[in-house]
Amino acid sequence: MPHTQHPHTPESDRPVESQGGHWILASVGKKVLRPGGRETTDWLLSKLNLAGADVVEIAPGLGTTARLLLDAHPATYTALDQDRDACEQVAHLLRSHPEWGGTQQKVYHVSASDTGLPDGCADIVIGEAMLTMQGAKAKRAIMAEAHRILRPGGFYAIHEMALTPDDLPEEIATAIRRRLAQVIKVNARPLTRPEWTEVATEAGFTVTDNFTTTMSLLEPRRLLADEGPLGVATMMMNLARKPEVRRRVLAMRATFTEYRDYLAGMGMVLQKREP
């Protein structure tokens, strides 16, 4: 199982106040770090014929979706992440589950916009909660790379944060993006559904299906649905012991609450158009 190594400073070595929001949440035990929760991930996977497919996952994070993908018995599973810690996490997960041995597995430490994979090597590419964190140029580059590595007719499934309603005034969108960047410590740039569709269309995809739900990542009902009672209890205990982390999490929750009428979790299934 190839796993390339590159120099890297782990996110956890940085001060709490400057760590990315996803790693802050992971540090207290949160496993589902997607804007639309497990609900949206389950919807995406239900739209894909994973059994026997060549599957590439971009930015697998803690490996939560990787488990679901491998349980569907694809022919191959390839994880790509530019974060070495995430690569090591997923590689460890794969090694510790021998029942997935029927699937050829690889983990590569590479950029999502320059994967080094061959043209047309995948039937399905999936990426969750990573395009949102990219600027316009990087979004286009990552979409173009997904298009390149997919076979004709292949599918690119994305799970991202969306702005709502579709005609949201630009001044409100700008204010939301600015505030998200301040509290998440990542330059989050969510788009409206028409804007996501436009980016995908320009990259050579057709939107075949889409799904939206509330962006309630840190609300009690979503926490229970995503993490279960034991997971929530673990998070609460960890937050009680880590006041600096607790302040970051509360600031994120306050921002999501403030803008809840304008934020959504979104799933889209994109199909590579024929030339």
Side-chain angles (χ1 to χ4, degrees):
M1 182 163 49
H3 177 196
T4 58
Q5 301 287 334
H6 295 262
H8 176 76
T9 300
E11 183 86 9
S12 57
D13 289 349
R14 298 169 59 187
V16 168
E17 62 269 19
S18 64
Q19 289 180 29
H22 59 300
W23 286 115
I24 286 289
L25 295 174
S27 74
V28 296
K30 189 159 187 9
K31 294 181 172 61
V32 179
L33 302 170
R34 315 309 193 188
R38 176 70 181 266
E39 172 190 18
T40 304
T41 297
D42 287 346
W43 177 86
L44 273 181
L45 300 190
S46 75
K47 300 295 180 179
L48 304 172
N49 186 11
L50 294 163
D54 293 318
V55 177
V56 173
E57 185 178 12
I58 301 174
L62 301 179
T64 301
T65 299
R67 294 172 181 269
L68 303 175
L69 293 169
L70 286 155
D71 283 343
H73 306 294
T76 64
Y77 169 79
T78 302
L80 311 174
D81 208 302
Q82 65 179 0
D83 188 287
R84 190 180 68 187
D85 291 348
C87 288
E88 291 173 352
Q89 178 96 9
V90 174
H92 175 73
L93 172 68
L94 298 178
R95 286 193 299 268
S96 42
H97 285 268
E99 70 272 20
W100 293 332
T103 297
Q104 183 182 348
Q105 306 157 11
K106 298 177 183 177
V107 180
Y108 293 119
H109 179 205
V110 294
S111 166
S113 60
D114 184 16
T115 66
L117 296 178
D119 292 355
C121 63
D123 300 305
I124 294 167
V125 175
I126 184 166
E128 297 184 281
M130 56 86 58
L131 287 170
T132 299
M133 305 305 174
Q134 313 297 324
K137 183 177 179 181
K139 281 182 173 70
R140 291 194 296 269
I142 293 167
M143 284 251 186
E145 182 69 353
H147 187 275
R148 183 188 69 79
I149 65 176
L150 278 168
R151 298 184 177 108
F155 291 95
Y156 182 23
I158 64 172
H159 175 175
E160 299 294 339
M161 191 185 298
L163 296 174
T164 187
D166 291 348
D167 59 352
L168 184 69
E170 184 56 36
E171 60 268 24
I172 297 178
T174 299
I176 293 171
R177 291 169 182 143
R178 184 179 297 119
R179 181 60 179 153
L180 287 172
Q182 289 171 348
V183 299
I184 300 175
K185 306 302 180 184
V186 177
N187 190 23
R189 296 193 59 80
L191 305 176
T192 62
R193 281 192 302 169
E195 289 171 335
W196 281 116
T197 299
E198 181 180 358
V199 173
T201 301
E202 289 176 355
F205 292 102
T206 299
V207 179
T208 63
D209 215 337
N210 63 75
F211 174 86
T212 56
T213 188
T214 58
M215 219 304 286
S216 46
L217 184 69
L218 297 176
E219 295 302 316
R221 182 178 298 181
R222 175 67 63 74
L223 285 171
L224 281 170
D226 287 349
E227 310 296 335
L230 182 59
V232 173
T234 299
M235 288 180 61
M236 294 305 105
M237 287 189 294
N238 287 333
L239 285 169
R241 295 200 306 262
K242 300 178 178 182
E244 291 184 4
V245 172
R246 184 170 65 249
R247 283 194 291 272
R248 287 286 314 277
V249 173
L250 290 175
M252 284 188 275
R253 186 176 187 274
T255 299
F256 297 155
T257 300
E258 179 182 358
Y259 293 112
R260 61 187 168 193
D261 292 339
Y262 302 114
L263 296 173
M266 179 205 71
M268 271 189 175
V269 180
L270 314 174
Q271 186 170 29
K272 180 175 179 174
R273 293 198 301 271
E274 298 292 338

